[in-house]
Structures are given as C-alpha cells and as structure tokens.
Amino acid sequence: MFIIPALVLYGQSLSLNDLFAITLLTPPKFDSYILEHGFVDAGKDYQGDTVVNLFNCRRIINEPGKLITTINKSLSRYNVTGESLITYQTEDFNEFLQIKQQVKSAGFLCYANDSIISSGVLYQKNDLSVYVFTMDSDSAKQYAFRVKRKMLPKVKSVRFAEDLLQFTSHEYLAYVFGEKNVKKDVYFFSENELAKCSVLFLNTDRQAVFLWEDGENNCTLSNLLIGGQQMLKSSLENNSFVSQNNWRLKNGMHAGMTLYELRMLNGQDFKFYSGNSDHTGMVLSDISGKVNFDQQGVILGCMNCRDSKFMTTSVMSAEEAIGEQRILFILSIILSPITASHNLNP
C-alpha cells in the first residue's frame, strides 16, 4: 500500500519559453541551464565553417504496468554572428504537439499551412522565428524546432544603406521601424516575372525595396534596391514618383551621383551596357576598383543618350562617355547580401 505509481524522468521536457530563454544566454550560462535540464555535452559538429555545439539527453519513463520507454532528445547551438540560433529535437510526439501549440498560441505569424501536425513550417514574430520540421533517423522520427533570435540594430544606428542588409524578413523590418512604415508589395521584373517584396518608407526620400527569395514567408533577402523609379505594383497603380533618395553607401555612393563622381570614387575606369543591349545602363560586374560592382550593382540613367552611336553600341567605358560629355548619373543601386557559408535558414 506504500507503493506509489512512479514516473522516473532523466531530462526534463523543454517548453517554448525555455527555448526562447536559451537564445538570450551566454555560453557559460547556456551550459548551466541545459545541464539542469538533464542534457550533457556531446561534442562539436561543423556546418561549413559554422561551429555547432551538441548536447544530448535521454528521457526514461517507467510507469507501472507498462514497458520502460526511452526518449532521446538533443539540442544544438550554432555559433553564428548576429543571431542566436538553436535546434531542439525530440522523439516525443506529444511534446512536439505541445510546443507547436505554444508557438501558435504565442501569436507567431505563419503564411503557410499551420495545422497542428504540419511540419516544414516557419513562424515569425518580432525578432524571433521558429522553423518546425521533422527528420527520419535510424531509431525513430525526430521532431525539431529551430529557434532563431536576430540581433537587430536600433533605428538610430541604421545610417548607411548597407545597414539595411541586416533586415532579412518583413517581420524584422516591422519590428524595428514600425508596421506603418513597412508595406508589402510586388516587384515587376517584366510583365511575366515578379517577386514579393517589402518597401520601407514607401514614396519618400528614404524608400528602400527588399526583394525576398522566400516569397511565401516574406524572408531571406535576395536584393536591396535603392533609388530609381522602382517597378512596384503600388507605384504603377498610383502613378507615384519619388524625386530623390537620401540613402548613401559607406563609400559615399548614392542615387543621383554623376558618372564622373563615380569614376573618381572607383579609382579606375569601368564599363557599362549602352543602348544596343537588353541591360542598358547597368555597370558590368567588376571588383578590381575601389567599388565592388559585384555586390554593389549600379544602374545608370542618361539625359543625352539617344544618338545613333550610343544606341548602336553594346558596351561603353565610363571614360569614353565622360569624354563625349554624356550626362550620366546613378539611377539606382542594387545591394546583394553577403552569402554566409552556413545554410541554416529559415
């Protein structure tokens, strides 16, 4: 009569709040926290040049009248600059359902099918994202939550156009700049080719267009567009016009800069596509000068380039155009994010 039905646990279950709390911890505090939850150090792994710290846990359930059940869990912490990233895996389906319901109840935004049992789904809120997915292992199906907390800057520290490359989702932009200052839109490359985008400070001299590689979830930055009359659905519908753009790059480059100023900034000659090309005005990719035209794409506008020589030439040099007194200037700038060696997105 003194026998009490027992549930023996080695390794506690983690809640969504536990996972969020972990992303705020320094490595020493992180180790202490998860040791208290029954995890042990399992060494290191590498994804590209990203170091991944591994921790394992075994949960043993012993209930009277039932077979002893062993559930394996693991936690991975990624050493990534600018964000705190962990992945939690469990074999416990009920735990998976509980945490996923906690994500939904916490008000995270999801653009895909977010039924309680669906996987491969991204949830976003403020500076946090949770990617829910499953994996098949030799022993049992693994249910996983990849939690990322982005270290985002304060508005006052965003001074240069390159600073905007830190914002890799619509939710990050809305969290820092305010929802009223960020609009979802569609960008037209051509009549049949388009992409989802977000526009910061639409129709102002601080407008910036973020093109998303993942259009479904409005995240993963493909390109950042500064200046020019961008082919936005909202602009085409309202016939809006932005006369100038005040964003500057760290090297001083900006929309409206003359071709001569750009040539001096680069420190050497460069080439651009002229009239007899499908890419008229685009500066050819070149990293030999002071301007990296590979990551900092430039499209030139011209006020006196309708003559036969220009229209029948495919490529022209900056010095040649300056010598012919052509009035060329930077129409728009295309910034490309530096691709990290790890591929841990979402």
Side-chain angles (χ1 to χ4, degrees), residues 123-142:
Y123 298 85
Q124 303 175 77
K125 182 181 180 182
N126 297 336
D127 59 343
L128 286 164
S129 66
V130 181
Y131 182 59
V132 183
F133 60 104
T134 60
M135 299 181 298
D136 292 320
S137 64
D138 295 336
S139 57
K141 182 181 285 291
Q142 296 281 333

Side-chain angles (χ1 to χ4, degrees), residues 125-299:
K125 182 181 180 182
N126 297 336
D127 59 343
L128 286 164
S129 66
V130 181
Y131 182 59
V132 183
F133 60 104
T134 60
M135 299 181 298
D136 292 320
S137 64
D138 295 336
S139 57
K141 182 181 285 291
Q142 296 281 333
Y143 305 97
F145 299 86
R146 179 164 292 160
V147 180
K148 178 165 66 176
R149 186 184 296 273
K150 184 77 169 178
M151 307 307 173
L152 295 169
K154 302 293 184 181
V155 173
K156 63 181 180 180
S157 66
V158 181
R159 299 174 53 205
F160 300 100
E162 292 97 330
D163 296 334
L164 295 172
L165 295 174
Q166 302 172 74
F167 299 92
T168 55
S169 79
H170 180 93
E171 290 305 304
Y172 293 157
L173 286 166
Y175 177 59
V176 173
F177 294 99
E179 292 184 9
K180 66 179 182 179
N181 294 317
V182 187
K183 307 297 181 184
K184 294 176 184 176
D185 213 322
V186 176
Y187 188 90
F188 289 90
F189 295 100
S190 66
E191 185 177 347
N192 299 317
E193 186 180 3
L194 52 85
K196 293 269 189 77
C197 68
S198 296
V199 186
L200 178 64
F201 303 131
L202 178 66
N203 295 331
T204 72
D205 58 12
R206 298 285 281 176
Q207 177 174 291
V209 180
F210 296 75
L211 299 181
W212 303 125
E213 186 176 316
D214 182 351
E216 180 181 39
N217 294 300
N218 295 298
C219 67
T220 310
L221 185 61
S222 173
N223 288 114
L224 173 65
L225 309 181
I226 302 294
Q229 300 309 306
Q230 305 298 347
M231 300 296 289
L232 299 169
K233 181 180 180 182
S234 60
S235 298
L236 296 174
E237 290 176 345
N238 301 322
N239 197 27
S240 56
F241 179 83
V242 180
S243 59
Q244 64 179 17
N245 192 288
N246 289 334
W247 284 108
R248 287 178 175 264
L249 276 63
K250 293 177 181 178
N251 61 13
M253 192 163 66
H254 61 89
M257 174 180 276
T258 66
L259 178 63
Y260 177 79
E261 291 173 322
L262 181 58
R263 163 64 182 84
M264 293 299 101
L265 179 64
N266 190 50
Q268 67 180 46
D269 197 13
F270 57 87
K271 296 181 179 180
F272 63 93
Y273 292 105
S274 45
N276 189 23
S277 170
D278 293 333
H279 308 288
T280 301
M282 182 175 292
V283 175
L284 276 66
S285 179
D286 186 355
I287 60 173
S288 60
K290 294 181 180 179
V291 177
N292 186 338
F293 288 115
D294 186 25
Q295 292 181 351
Q296 300 174 354
V298 172
I299 298 177

